[in-house]
Amino acid sequence: MPDSIIADLTALVGADIVVTPDSSNLMRYTRDYAVEGSVEIGVLAIVLPRNVEQVSKTLKYCNEKHVAVQPQGGLTGLAGGAVPTGPCVVLNLERMRAIRELDDVAGTITVEAGVVMEAVQKAADAADLLYPLDLGGRGSCQTGGNLSTNAGGNRVLRYGMARELVLGLEVVLADGTIIHGLRKMIKNNAGYDLRQLFIGSEGTLGIITAAVLRLFPKPRSQCTALCAVADYSSVIALLTRVRSGFASQLSAFEVMWPDFYALSTRGLGRNPPLGEEHGLYVLIETLGPDPQSDQKRFEIVITEALESSVINDAVVAQSQREASDLWSIRDSPAEWKRAGHWPHVSFDVSTSTGQIGELVERIRGALSAKWPQIFTMYFGHVADGNLHLSVRLNEDHDLAHAIEVAVYDVVAEFGGSISAEHGIGTLKREFLHLSRTPDEIALMHTLKRAMDPNGILNPGKVL
Ligand code: ZN
């Protein structure tokens, strides 16, 4: 059967599009950043299409033959959503790299699914515009993956998650039907909002092949500060101040607990810019139109917060380099693996912003009651209600599951989400019911059955 699948697909889309799986390529197409799949899982063919018609023909064939399809982008995911879990045709859109159009009047860029995030950012920048979606994997993650997982990142506070940045989509359904929806309008109430079905559904309802993305005016100023505060109520007081002080210019409000701060500074050989005795650390950023007046205003708001003891200490970046140094503390999880602070079991949970401090204390209490020696790190996009936490695993890898159960139990008590921005993939499937009601999950199954009756699209993920 595998031989005939390769022959059939080759006849349909061409020999240069269909790659025979072997030891030279299987390693690459069977893992993401968090999940190492198996090269022996039974990949039947690797299809690397160059256009939407080839995607359509591949899906039509697989649907008729009831062959599972594993959609993939840059394989930087953190939940296993792109990792094959059984025999399948891998469909990776990495060759669909055309930037079809940039419309500076509409403020849009139309790109194919395989265009890497950084390439979209650079194309926007060259037109004096901003593509605001940004995260650590920017150099290799692809637009199709960013949208199918509804990626978040550091500037959600100001510009929203991926789904808020999409005006139109081109999608291929399980049976090969191409849905042409590459529209540029912000307003479109003509019936159901179909694009949102495909954003965040991790390739289980259709394959995104191109998108119209929103662009914004390029900021002229970036002001950055690291602030030390006493406790979580001071974090909220500071957030209230900077929200009113900076209004829509506020672009990041990243909170780091002391365990995270210590590892990300001294633990990685950096000099801590602020002492280690404080209760919490907050990285604040604004993006605005005027370098001089924005920096002045920024320093006034930070100084007032200092004078009224909302913050205990602060360092305001005076150059782009100092700003990057402050950001490198927040971005340090990307360095942990290399520095030997690994393995970890990582979480991406959410609840309302006001509850995050209590959520941390409850999770910390639950974990240390069971495992007194446990080493944890807490950080997050607190203004979005998003908490990341990372738990160091020493030798005992079997602990990972028990730790997950303990953390998600607390999150469920808060009515929070077990996945704020990373998706469900395979890693969080068994916990989905903690964040969704039985009726919500039943409705998801109804949609899945209607749109993919043969269950070929990314089986074993999400639901
Ligand atoms: Zn994040």
Side-chain angles (χ1 to χ4, degrees):
M1 163 120 158
D3 285 350
S4 75
I5 286 181
I6 287 179
D8 290 350
L9 286 170
T10 301
L12 279 171
V13 294
D16 61 324
I17 302 302
V18 184
V19 176
T20 303
D22 61 33
S23 57
S24 73
N25 52 40
L26 274 172
M27 193 78 112
R28 167 166 165 69
Y29 295 107
T30 52
R31 60 179 58 200
D32 68 9
Y33 196 77
V35 175
E36 275 185 36
S38 165
V39 295
E40 277 149 29
I41 200 72
V43 174
L44 305 166
I46 299 165
V47 178
L48 304 174
R50 295 184 192 279
N51 58 53
V52 65
E53 287 75 22
Q54 290 166 347
V55 175
S56 167
K57 284 176 182 168
T58 302
L59 287 184
K60 184 169 188 293
Y61 172 83
C62 290
N63 192 48
E64 283 166 2
K65 301 278 183 188
H66 292 224
V67 172
V69 175
Q70 178 59 62
Q72 290 181 348
L75 294 159
T76 59
L78 296 170
V83 179
T85 55
C88 64
V89 167
V90 163
L91 181 66
N92 191 306
L93 304 197
E94 64 192 7
R95 285 175 173 170
M96 292 186 61
R97 287 184 175 236
I99 294 179
R100 292 189 190 165
E101 188 200 13
L102 188 148
D103 181 337
D104 57 358
V105 176
T108 61
I109 187 167
T110 305
V111 305
E112 292 182 349
V115 179
V116 168
M117 175 187 279
E118 200 166 57
V120 186
Q121 293 171 338
K122 283 184 173 160
D125 192 70
D128 210 25
L129 292 165
L130 174 77
Y131 178 55
L133 195 64
D134 189 43
L135 44 84
R138 66 184 71 78
S140 43
C141 65
Q142 296 171 15
T143 301
N146 294 156
L147 303 188
S148 64
T149 58
N150 186 29
N154 291 336
R155 294 194 174 124
V156 171
L157 163 63
R158 174 150 173 195
Y159 296 100
M161 293 184 70
R163 72 167 76 253
E164 273 110 354
L165 304 174
V166 179
L167 293 181
L169 284 184
E170 176 188 87
V171 180
V172 183
L173 302 182
D175 67 359
T177 304
I178 302 172
I179 301 292
H180 296 281
L182 290 175
R183 300 185 181 89
K184 296 184 193 172
M185 306 88 82
I186 286 179
K187 293 183 158 184
N188 182 3
N189 277 351
Y192 298 168
D193 191 346
L194 298 173
R195 81 200 135 148
Q196 297 298 351
L197 284 173
F198 304 101
I199 302 171
S201 52
E202 303 184 38
T204 60
L205 300 179
I207 310 286
I208 296 169
T209 51
V212 179
L213 304 169
R214 291 185 74 181
L215 302 178
F216 294 83
K218 188 154 89 185
R220 307 288 164 197
S221 74
Q222 178 194 24
C223 304
T224 314
L226 180 68
C227 304
V229 303
D231 52 26
Y232 195 74
S233 63
S234 306
V235 169
I236 297 300
L238 180 58
L239 178 60
T240 306
R241 258 171 194 265
V242 296
R243 269 180 177 154
S244 64
F246 302 134
S248 65
Q249 289 189 13
L250 183 65
S251 54
F253 189 88
E254 296 291 313
V255 177
M256 297 167 271
W257 274 254
D259 38 24
F260 177 95
Y261 184 71
L263 175 63
S264 303
T265 53
R266 257 187 320 103
L268 294 170
R270 287 190 183 90
N271 257 341
L274 296 172
E276 291 173 75
E277 69 278 17
H278 301 286
L280 287 154
Y281 299 84
V282 187
L283 184 70
I284 295 171
E285 181 197 72
T286 64
L287 297 172
D290 185 320
Q292 268 87 42
S293 65
D294 292 341
Q295 181 79 13
K296 214 170 174 181
R297 172 97 198 120
F298 188 78
E299 290 181 6
I300 289 171
V301 172
I302 299 294
T303 305
E304 283 173 358
L306 264 170
E307 284 168 358
S308 58
S309 302
V310 169
I311 54 184
N312 293 342
D313 201 358
V315 47
V316 176
Q318 299 300 326
S319 65
Q320 180 58 50
R321 195 202 153 132
E322 287 179 20
S324 305
D325 285 349
L326 294 180
W327 267 107
S328 69
I329 299 171
R330 171 56 186 83
D331 286 339
S332 75
E335 302 172 50
W336 292 351
K337 222 180 206 173
R338 189 164 42 75
H341 299 288
W342 208 256
H344 282 235
V345 51
S346 308
F347 297 88
D348 160 46
V349 302
S350 61
T351 187
S352 66
T353 297
Q355 289 185 306
I356 295 280
E358 196 192 333
L359 180 68
V360 168
E361 293 319 312
R362 288 282 309 284
I363 292 173
R364 198 192 289 284
L367 293 178
S368 59
K370 281 207 174 99
W371 303 283
Q373 305 301 321
I374 207 161
F375 185 59
T376 52
M377 275 155 298
Y378 298 82
F379 57 109
H381 320 286
V382 159
D384 312 323
N386 185 183
L387 175 74
H388 291 307
L389 72 116
S390 212
V391 183
R392 181 83 188 269
L393 290 174
N394 292 321
E395 300 310 310
D396 192 358
H397 288 224
D398 294 341
L399 261 190
H401 188 260
I403 292 170
E404 286 175 338
V405 171
V407 170
Y408 290 138
D409 275 351
V410 179
V411 173
E413 276 179 52
F414 278 72
S417 174
I418 58 154
S419 177
E421 60 179 1
H422 295 168
I424 297 297
T426 48
L427 287 188
K428 298 169 199 171
R429 254 180 107 199
E430 70 164 291
F431 302 106
L432 183 63
H433 70 281
L434 295 174
S435 291
R436 296 290 200 174
T437 66
D439 289 337
E440 284 177 314
I441 292 174
L443 179 55
M444 290 184 199
H445 279 291
T446 302
L447 284 169
K448 173 69 177 172
R449 274 194 306 273
M451 295 177 70
D452 180 19
N454 296 335
I456 65 158
L457 289 176
N458 209 0
K461 315 294 163 59
V462 186
L463 291 172

